[in-house]
Amino acid sequence: MVPVMDRGFIFGDGVYEVIPVYGGRLFRLDEHLQRLDNSLAGIRLANPMAMAEWTEILERLVQENGGGEQSVYLQLTRGHAPRDHAFPEQTQPTVFISCSPLKPVAAAQLQQGVAAICLEDIRWKHCHIKAIALLPNILLRQQAIDAGAQEAILIRDGVVTEGAASNVFIVKDGVIKTPPKGPFLLPGITRDLLLELADSKGFTNHEWQFGLEELQQADEIWLTSSTKEVLPVTRLDNKPVGTGQPGPIWKQMINLYQGYKRALIAGDAE
Ligand code: PDD
């Protein structure tokens, strides 16, 4: 049971992670746990468990839920206390972890790509914290859905930050670019892996700040996240991106990504 006075429920005072599981193995678990630790530090909530304890609990949960393909949702809040904005003197964090079946990315989205619209990034200035308070992200995503698109690509002060629930990549003349890490975007685990895979195969790539014009002129746009993996965006604000079809570099990257997943399942990657 979670008390109704839980600060997660009352204030959205907490942080979370979404960790995919392939072949019963937690994908990039150390990186997810490190980001969780950073998010906790960002909201000044002590991490109640060591990495090894988290690992043990998560691995046990995954096995008890039958291994295979799952999506693990992990949330920590500042616990329950009488409603007061200031931190309570003593807190026992509420920890919630759930395992659900991993929904495969729809084949049509991979074949045709998805549509995105550009919206102003109305969020706060600590977007590197994976906070459970997601109201701006929810409103932005819904605005995209209402416009017949799948994702909103966000622009703050003329600069592309990320998607409402994903990171953004562009390709121009064979060069892969994604915005650099900082307070205005979540350091995505999928994003980092993609950069590693690009490096390992010799694709030129840069962590690079770009604006609306560069986004509009891109040959390819991709979205990355633990649930979307690597999705090609083929329409931006109702106009085709590049040829209007998923691009050749995306095809190579998604193959590398799937290869990485197979290595993980075989025990040759983490
Ligand atoms: N969201 N940026 C934002 C704002 C996100 O919410 C997410 C993921 C990402 C991608 O991060 P990663 O590659 O580590 O999943 C970037 C998760 C999946 C969610 O909220 O459901």
Side-chain angles (χ1 to χ4, degrees):
M1 292 215 291
V2 179
V4 287
M5 293 312 287
D6 191 278
R7 290 175 65 95
F9 183 53
I10 298 288
F11 289 125
D13 183 0
V15 296
Y16 76 106
E17 279 296 322
V18 176
I19 313 170
V21 174
Y22 301 107
R25 290 174 190 271
L26 287 141
F27 185 83
R28 299 237 128 178
L29 180 59
D30 290 353
E31 287 82 352
H32 278 282
L33 290 177
Q34 183 57 56
R35 185 173 65 185
L36 177 68
D37 202 56
N38 297 345
S39 294
L40 287 168
I43 68 161
R44 296 166 59 192
L45 181 59
N47 193 335
M49 280 184 281
M51 294 284 183
E53 290 173 279
W54 282 116
T55 304
E56 200 186 309
I57 290 172
L58 289 165
E59 284 179 347
R60 182 160 57 80
L61 273 176
V62 166
Q63 295 321 317
E64 284 180 7
N65 282 281
E69 269 68 70
Q70 297 179 32
S71 178
V72 173
Y73 177 80
L74 189 172
Q75 167 174 316
L76 270 117
T77 77
R78 209 180 304 275
H80 66 94
R83 186 179 181 280
D84 182 356
H85 289 64
F87 297 169
E89 263 171 35
Q90 273 178 348
T91 34
Q92 180 67 33
T94 305
V95 179
F96 168 65
I97 308 175
S98 73
C99 296
S100 30
L102 188 67
K103 257 182 39 197
V105 181
Q109 294 199 338
L110 295 173
Q111 273 149 24
Q112 292 145 33
V114 298
I117 60 168
C118 296
L119 292 175
E120 188 194 336
D121 195 341
I122 56 170
R123 301 172 303 157
W124 67 335
K125 294 181 179 170
H126 299 280
C127 298
H128 60 297
I129 299 172
K130 201 161 170 57
I132 59 169
L134 286 172
L135 197 47
N137 307 61
I138 289 167
L139 293 173
L140 290 161
R141 168 63 71 80
Q142 190 58 42
Q143 208 175 323
I145 302 291
D146 292 346
Q150 277 77 40
E151 182 60 307
I153 295 181
L154 310 179
I155 298 180
R156 187 192 288 260
D157 298 330
V159 167
V160 173
T161 54
E162 59 179 339
S166 55
N167 291 112
V168 176
F169 283 73
I170 58 170
V171 179
K172 184 71 186 175
D173 299 329
V175 177
I176 303 169
K177 294 177 189 172
T178 192
K181 289 180 188 175
F184 298 140
L185 58 104
L186 188 78
I189 307 297
T190 322
R191 167 198 183 278
D192 284 357
L193 175 60
L194 226 61
L195 289 177
E196 274 177 41
L197 292 174
D199 271 343
S200 73
K201 293 293 165 190
F203 285 105
T204 313
N205 65 88
H206 300 301
E207 297 185 67
W208 176 267
Q209 215 171 59
F210 54 86
L212 181 59
E213 211 175 312
E214 217 173 319
L215 181 72
Q216 287 167 335
Q217 288 167 5
D219 300 327
E220 301 184 25
I221 302 176
W222 321 326
L223 301 171
T224 64
S225 84
S226 298
T227 45
K228 290 189 187 76
E229 301 187 338
V230 194
L231 262 193
V233 176
T234 46
R235 290 194 78 74
L236 181 71
D237 290 326
N238 267 323
K239 293 188 195 75
V241 175
T243 61
Q245 298 296 319
I249 310 241
W250 170 79
K251 285 204 180 104
Q252 295 181 67
M253 291 309 296
I254 190 75
N255 285 338
L256 286 174
Y257 191 84
Q258 298 305 344
Y260 185 90
K261 275 166 54 181
R262 285 193 296 275
L264 175 81
I265 294 167
D268 298 333
E270 44 96 46

